[in-house]
C-alpha cells in the first residue's frame, strides 16, 4: 500500500490522485484517509544516496521523502527540527534501528513508511511519541516473527497497517486488539507457519492478504473471513482447492462473516477460475464479489454449469486472456447466466455478450469500456427478451455504431430506466427505433449523432444527455418528448437556443460550449418551465441583441450555471474576453425609435423655434420689405442713368379713401414731405379748379413719378371705381408697371374685391404690395422702403406754378377718355 505523494523539494505540491485510483477501488477507506488530507510542503530527498538524515531541513516541512537511500540508522534528534512533520517515507533504505526518541518532536506524524529496510523486530518503541499515526507500513524487513510490541497500543488513531513475515502466532497482534482499524495488509507470500486464529484479535474492516498459494492459506483465509467484512486476496494462482477448504470451514462457523470478497491480480485457468468463482458464489454469506486484474490462462473449452448463488453483485475489471482461441460462447454464457443482481464486466477486451437463456435476475449490467458492437445480446439475430428485470444498462466506451440496431436489443427490457451509451461511435440515419417506454435516463454523450437523432428517442425519456455530438439545429415541432426535464446539448454546434415546442416540461437546458454567438429570446415563450440553463463558453458577439439576454437574466427566474466567469464576449475583437456581466451598451444605441427620436427631436425643436421666431418677429415681412427696398434701390440707380421722363412734377400721387385720410395726413404725408425730400400730389390739395375730380386725379397721376394707392376695404368700395376704367385704357399704367405702389393699410380678403374690378385683382396677385405694419418698430423700415421706391431727382423750379401747366400736361388719350366719363 502506498501513502505516496508527488515529492518536489521545497515546492508546494498536490497529491497525485491517479496513483490511488487502482487501489481506491479496493480499499476506499485508506484512500479516503489519505486523500482527505493534503500535505502542503513536502521535501523530496528520494534516491540521493544519503547515508544519514540531512541537517538543516526547513522547519515548516510537512512531508519528507527519504526513500531509496542508504540510511542505516535513525537517531533520536534526526527530525527534531521538523515539528510539523506529518508524512515520512523511509522505505528502501538499510535501516536496522530506529531510536525510541526519533519522533519525540513530531507529534503530528500521520503517515510512516519504513517498508523494505532491515528492522529485525517489531517492538517499535518510537511509536510512543506518535499518537496521531494513521498509516504505517513496516512490511519487508528482516523480522520473521510478527509479534507487535506494546508501543502499538498507543497509536490509537491507526487505520492502516502493512506487515510481512514468516511466522504468525496467536498472540502476535494482541497490541492492536483495542484499535479499530480499517485495513490490515498482510504480505504473507513467505509464510511458513500460521497458528490458528492468529487474526482473531484484529479489529478491522478489511483484511488484504498476499497468499502463499500453499496449504497455509486455508487457515489464514478462513480466519480472515471470520473477522473482517471485506477480504481481499492478492496474487491467487489456481488455488480453488485452498479457497474451497477455507469456505467449507467458514460455513460451519457462527462468527461474523465477510460479505465482500475481492481478488487482485489473479491468474487462473478457465477450470480453476470457474471453480473458484463457484466456491464463492455458492457461499451463503458473500454478497459482493470483485476481481481486478484477472488473467485467464490457457483456453476455454468446457461449458460450465451455471451456479445458483446468493451473491448479489459480481464485478470484473481489467480481465484478460492469454490464449485467444476459445469457445467464446461458453465464456459469455457463463457470466450472463449467473443469477446476480448486478453484473459488471468492464475494461476488458471482450467483444460480445449473449442473451440469458432464461428469465434473468439481472437488474444492473455494466459493460463499460469493453469492445462491444451493436450485436450485443443478440443470438442468431433475434432480439433478447430475457432481461426484463434489468433497470440499468451501461455500455459506455464500447464500439457501438448503429443506434437504431441497438435500440432493438433493448426492445424487451421493459424495466430499463437508465441506459448509458456514452462514448461510442453512435450514428443515426433512418429507420424506426424500438426503445422500451420505460427508459427515463438516456446518456448519448460523446457520439457522432446529429439532429436526426431526435427521431430515434425513447418516448418518455426525462433526462437526455447529448453532450459532445454533432448537433447543429434542433426543432421541436417534428418530435415530441413530453416527459423531458433535463436536456444536455453541451459541446455541440448549435447556433441558436432551441425552442421547447415538443418538450414543454423542460426544466434544465445545458448548452455550454456551442456556437451560440447571439441569444434570441424567442425560446422563452415555449420554455415556460425552464429553471436552469447553461450557456457558458459560447463565442458571444457582444452587440445589441446580447443586451436583451443580459437583461433577461434578471427578468426571468432562470439560474445560469457558471455565471458570470464563463460568459465572455468573443466578438467584436475589441471586446474579446470581456465578461458579459460587464458588457453595457447605452439604451440609445440599441433602440431604433429612441435613436430616431434623439436625432429628430432637436431638428423639430429648432424648426418650431424658428417658425415661432419668424411669426413673432414677422421676419417674412421684413424680408419682403428688404426685397422691395433693394429692388427699389436698384431701379433708382437704373433710372439715374436714364433721363427723367418729361413733365414730371411730383414724386407721387396718393389716392385714398376718406376713411383713411387720417393716416394719410398724419402719417404718410408728414413722413414723405418731412424734409422737402418728396413732392406729393394730392388731388384735394393740388386741386385744379374748373376740372372734375376725376380730371384732377388723372392730371395728378400723369404728373407724378409714382402712384400710391392706399388700399383698404373702404378704398376698394368707394374709390377704386374711378381708376378701373382709366387703367383699362391707359397703357402707361399697366398692372405690371413700376409706376404703381400699393399700400395695404389693412388686410383685404380677395372675396371682398368685387369681381368687376378685375384690374385690381390682377394687380394684387401679380404685384407685391407694401403692408402697413401695426408694430411701431417696423414703421421705420416701411418708410425707408417707400422712400426708396419714390427716389428720383426732379427739377425743383417746376414747383413754382403747380397749377398753370397742369392742364397742358394731360395728353390726348386722357382728354379723350375723360370725355367719356
Ligand atoms: C515511499 O517511497 C517508495 C519508493 O519511492 C514508494 O514506492 C512508496 O509508495 C512510498 N510510500 C508512501 C506511503 O507513499
Ligand atoms: C446494483 O447497481 C445499482 C445501480 O448502480 C446500485 O444502486 C445498487 O446498489 C447495486 N446493488 C448491489 C447489490 O450492488
Ligand atoms: C453521461 O456520461 C458521461 C460520461 O460518459 C458523464 O460524464 C455524464 O455525467 C453522463 N450523464 C448523465 C446524465 O448521467
Amino acid at each position: 500500500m502506498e501513502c505516496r505523494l508527488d515529492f518536489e523539494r521545497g515546492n508546494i505540491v498536490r497529491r497525485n490522485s491517479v496513483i490511488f485510483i487502482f487501489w481506491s477501488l479496493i480499499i476506499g477507506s485508506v484512500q479516503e484517509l489519505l486523500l482527505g488530507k493534503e500535505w502542503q510542503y513536502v521535501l523530496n530527498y528520494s534516491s540521493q544516496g544519503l547515508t544519514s538524515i540531512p541537517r538543516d531541513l526547513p522547519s515548516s516541512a510537512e512531508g519528507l521523502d527519504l526513500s531509496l537511500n542508504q540510511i542505516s540508522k535513525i537517531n533520536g534528534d534526526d527530525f527534531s527540527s521538523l515539528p510539523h512533520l506529518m508524512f515520512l517515507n523511509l522505505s528502501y533504505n538499510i535501516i536496522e534501528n530506529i531510536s525510541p526518541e526519533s519522533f519525540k518532536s513530531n507529534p503530528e506524524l500521520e503517515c510512516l513508511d519504513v517498508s523494505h529496510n532491515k528492522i529485525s523486530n517489531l517492538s517499535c518503541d518510537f511509536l510512543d511519541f506518535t499518537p496521531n499515526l494513521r498509516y504505517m507500513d513496516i512490511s519487508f524487513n528482516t523480522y520473521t516473527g510478527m509479534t507487535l510490541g506494546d508501543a502499538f497500543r498507543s497509536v490509537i488513531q491507526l487505520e492502516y497497517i502493512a506487515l510481512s513475515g514468516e511466522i504468525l502466532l496467536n498472540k502476535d497482534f494482541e497490541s492492536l486488539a483495542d484499535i479499530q482499524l480499517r485495513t490490515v495488509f498482510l504480505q504473507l507470500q513467505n509464510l511458513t507457519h500460521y497458528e490458528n486464529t492468529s487474526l482473531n484479535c484484529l479489529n478491522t474492516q478489511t483484511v488484504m492478504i498476499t497468499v502463499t498459494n500453499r496449504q497455509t492459506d486455508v487457515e489464514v483465509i478462513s480466519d480472515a473471513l471470520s473477522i473482517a467484512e471485506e477480504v481481499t486476496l492478492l496474487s491467487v494462482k489456481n488455488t480453488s482447492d485452498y479457497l474451497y477448504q477455507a469456505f467449507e470451514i467458514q460455513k460451519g462457523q457462527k462468527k461474523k462473516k465477510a460479505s465482500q470478497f475481492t481478488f487482485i491480480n489473479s491468474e487462473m485457468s478457465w477450470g480453476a477460475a470457474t471453480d473458484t468463482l463457484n466456491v464463492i458464489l455458492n457461499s451463503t454469506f458473500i454478497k459482493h464479489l470483485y476481481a481486478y486484474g484477472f488473467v485467464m490462462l490457457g483456453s476455454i473449452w468446457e461449458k460450465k454449469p451455471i451456479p445458483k448463488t446468493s451473491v448479489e453483485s459480481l464485478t470484473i475489471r481489467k480481465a484478460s486472456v492469454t490464449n485467444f482461441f476459445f469457445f467464446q460462447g461458453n465464456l459469455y454464457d457463463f457470466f450472463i447466466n449467473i443469477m446476480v443482481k448486478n453484473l459488471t464486466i468492464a475494461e476488458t477486451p471482450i467483444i460480445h455478450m449473449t442473451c440469458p437463456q432464461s428469465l434473468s435476475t439481472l437488474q444492473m449490467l455494466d459493460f463499460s469500456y469493453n469492445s462491444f458492437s451493436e450485436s450485443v445480446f443478440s443470438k442468431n439475430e433475434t432480439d433478447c427478451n430475457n432481461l426484463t428485470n434489468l433497470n440499468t444498462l451501461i455500455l459506455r466506451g464500447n464500439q457501438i455504431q448503429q443506434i437504431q440496431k441497438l435500440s432493438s436489443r433493448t426492445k424487451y427490457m421493459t424495466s430499463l430506466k437508465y441506459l448509458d451509451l456514452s462514448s461510442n461511435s453512435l450514428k443515426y440515419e433512418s429507420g424506426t427505433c424500438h426503445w422500451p417506454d420505460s427508459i427515463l435516463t438516456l446518456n448519448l454523450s460523446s457520439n457522432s449523432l446529429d439532429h436526426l437523432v431526435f427521431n430515434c428517442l425513447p418516448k418518455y425519456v426525462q433526462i437526455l444527455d447529448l453532450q459532445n455530438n454533432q448537433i447543429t439545429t434542433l426543432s421541436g415541432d417534428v418530435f415530441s418528448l413530453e416527459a423531458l426535464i433535463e436536456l444536455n446539448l453541451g459541446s455541440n454546434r448549435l447556433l441558436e437556443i432551441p425552442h421547447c415546442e415538443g418538450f414543454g416540461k423542460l426544466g434544465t437546458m445545458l448548452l455550454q460550449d456551442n456556437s451560440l454567438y447571439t441569444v434570441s429570446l424567442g425560446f422563452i415563450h415555449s420554455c415556460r418551465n425552464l429553471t436552469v440553463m447553461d450557456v457558458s463558453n459560447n463565442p458571444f458577439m457582444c452587440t445589441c441583441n446580447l443586451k436583451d439576454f443580459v437583461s433577461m437574466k434578471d427578468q426571468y427566474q432562470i439560474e445560469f450555471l457558471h455565471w458570470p466567469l464563463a460568459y465572455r464576449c468573443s466578438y467584436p475583437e475589441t471586446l474579446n474576453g470581456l465578461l458579459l456581466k460587464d458588457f453595457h451598451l447605452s439604451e440609445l444605441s440599441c433602440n431604433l425609435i429612441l435613436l430616431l427620436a434623439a436625432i429628430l427631436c432637436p431638428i423639430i425643436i429648432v424648426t418650431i423655434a424658428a417658425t415661432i421666431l419668424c411669426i413673432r418677429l414677422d421676419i417674412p415681412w421684413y424680408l419682403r420689405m428688404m426685397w422691395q427696398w433693394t429692388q427699389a434701390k436698384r431701379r433708382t440707380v437704373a433710372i439715374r442713368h436714364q433721363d427723367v421722363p418729361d413733365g414730371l412734377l411730383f414724386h407721387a400721387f396718393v389716392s385714398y379713401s376718406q376713411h383713411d385720410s387720417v393716416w394719410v395726413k398724419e402719417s404718410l404725408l408728414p413722413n414723405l414731405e418731412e424734409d422737402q425730400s418728396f413732392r406729393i400730389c394730392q388731388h384735394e390739395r393740388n386741386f385744379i379748379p374748373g376740372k372734375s375730380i376725376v380730371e384732377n386725379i388723372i392730371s395728378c397721376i400723369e404728373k407724378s413719378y409714382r402712384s400710391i394707392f392706399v388700399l383698404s376695404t373702404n378704398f376698394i368700395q368707394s374709390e377704386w371705381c374711378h381708376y378701373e376704367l382709366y387703367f383699362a385704357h391707359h397703357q402707361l399704367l399697366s398692372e405690371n408697371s413700376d409706376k404703381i405702389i400699393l399700400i395695404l393699410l389693412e388686410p383685404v380678403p380677395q372675396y371682398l374685391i368685387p369681381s368687376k374690378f378685375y384690374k385690381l385683382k390682377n394687380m394684387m396677385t401679380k404685384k407685391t404690395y407694401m403692408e402697413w405694419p401695426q408694430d411701431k418698430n417696423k414703421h421705420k423700415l416701411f418708410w425707408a422702403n417707400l422712400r426708396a421706391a419714390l427716389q428720383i431727382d426732379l427739377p425743383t423750379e417746376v414747383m413754382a406754378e403747380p397749377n398753370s401747366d397742369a392742364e397742358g400736361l394731360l395728353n390726348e388719350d386722357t382728354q379723350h377718355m375723360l370725355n367719356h366719363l
Side-chain angles (χ1 to χ4, degrees), residues 454-639:
F454 283 92
N455 299 315
C456 172
L457 290 175
K459 222 162 145 186
Y460 302 114
V461 67
Q462 292 177 355
I463 299 175
L464 181 58
D465 192 339
L466 277 165
Q467 261 188 97
N468 196 15
N469 277 283
Q470 312 287 328
I471 298 167
T472 48
T473 61
L474 171 55
S475 97
D477 25 5
V478 292
F479 61 89
S480 158
L481 296 172
E482 291 162 22
L484 194 64
I485 295 171
E486 187 181 320
L487 176 60
N488 191 341
L489 287 168
S491 302
N492 277 280
R493 294 197 253 133
L494 288 168
L495 293 168
E496 259 181 23
I497 295 188
H499 292 204
C500 300
E501 280 105 11
F503 40 90
K505 275 206 188 135
L506 198 69
T508 301
M509 175 147 59
L510 309 178
L511 299 166
Q512 68 281 5
D513 295 293
N514 272 278
S515 309
L516 304 170
Y517 58 90
T518 181
V519 176
S520 61
L521 297 184
F523 72 94
I524 282 288
H525 305 293
S526 54
C527 304
R528 289 179 193 284
N529 291 307
L530 213 55
T531 53
V532 177
M533 279 190 94
D534 188 348
V535 208
S536 60
N537 294 321
N538 275 287
F540 292 114
M541 194 161 82
C542 285
T543 57
C544 289
N545 283 350
L546 212 64
K547 203 169 157 288
D548 292 348
F549 166 64
V550 177
S551 62
M552 180 211 71
K553 258 200 81 272
D554 310 324
Q555 210 174 351
Y556 295 88
Q557 300 289 308
I558 297 178
E559 182 199 348
F560 280 85
L561 303 181
H562 307 117
W563 180 270
L565 290 183
Y567 294 71
R568 290 172 190 272
C569 302
S570 291
Y571 313 103
E573 280 308 308
T574 50
L575 297 182
N576 193 353
L578 181 74
L579 290 180
L580 289 204
K581 176 174 73 87
D582 302 327
F583 165 61
H584 299 293
L585 271 183
S586 67
E587 188 65 37
L588 189 60
S589 49
C590 287
N591 189 325
L592 185 66
I593 295 176
L594 266 186
L595 187 65
L596 279 181
I599 295 172
L600 290 183
C601 263
I603 294 179
I604 292 171
I605 288 172
V606 166
T607 314
I608 291 176
T611 315
I612 289 175
L613 267 182
C614 273
I615 293 170
R616 263 293 170 93
L617 303 179
D618 216 352
I619 285 173
W621 183 88
Y622 281 104
L623 289 178
R624 235 172 17 244
M625 280 306 190
M626 295 301 285
W627 169 249
Q628 287 171 359
W629 185 77
T630 45
Q631 290 295 99
K633 278 286 176 198
R634 194 174 53 79
R635 270 196 309 272
T636 319
V637 172
I639 283 173

Side-chain angles (χ1 to χ4, degrees), residues 405-424:
K405 259 201 184 149
L406 187 95
S407 74
S408 298
R409 308 288 172 238
T410 66
K411 183 156 65 171
Y412 300 110
M413 298 179 184
T414 48
S415 305
L416 192 62
K417 292 198 174 72
Y418 184 96
L419 177 57
D420 184 349
L421 294 171
S422 59
S423 304
N424 279 280

Side-chain angles (χ1 to χ4, degrees), residues 202-220:
L202 286 176
N203 201 344
T204 182
Q205 190 181 328
T206 305
V207 178
M208 295 167 68
I209 304 167
T210 311
V211 292
T212 60
N213 293 300
R214 291 189 298 271
Q215 189 66 32
T216 38
D217 292 344
V218 177
E219 295 290 332
V220 182

Side-chain angles (χ1 to χ4, degrees), residues 85-99:
L85 195 67
M86 293 182 173
F87 168 86
L88 179 61
N89 193 344
L90 291 167
S91 67
Y92 297 99
N93 276 284
I94 48 170
I95 301 167
E96 286 171 18
N97 190 18
I98 299 178
S99 155

Side-chain angles (χ1 to χ4, degrees), residues 652-655 668 672 706-710 741 743 786 790:
F653 156 70
V654 185
S655 174
L668 182 71
L672 293 180
R706 298 276 191 253
S707 295
I708 299 174
F709 295 96
V710 181
I741 296 174
I743 294 178
L786 189 56
L790 301 182

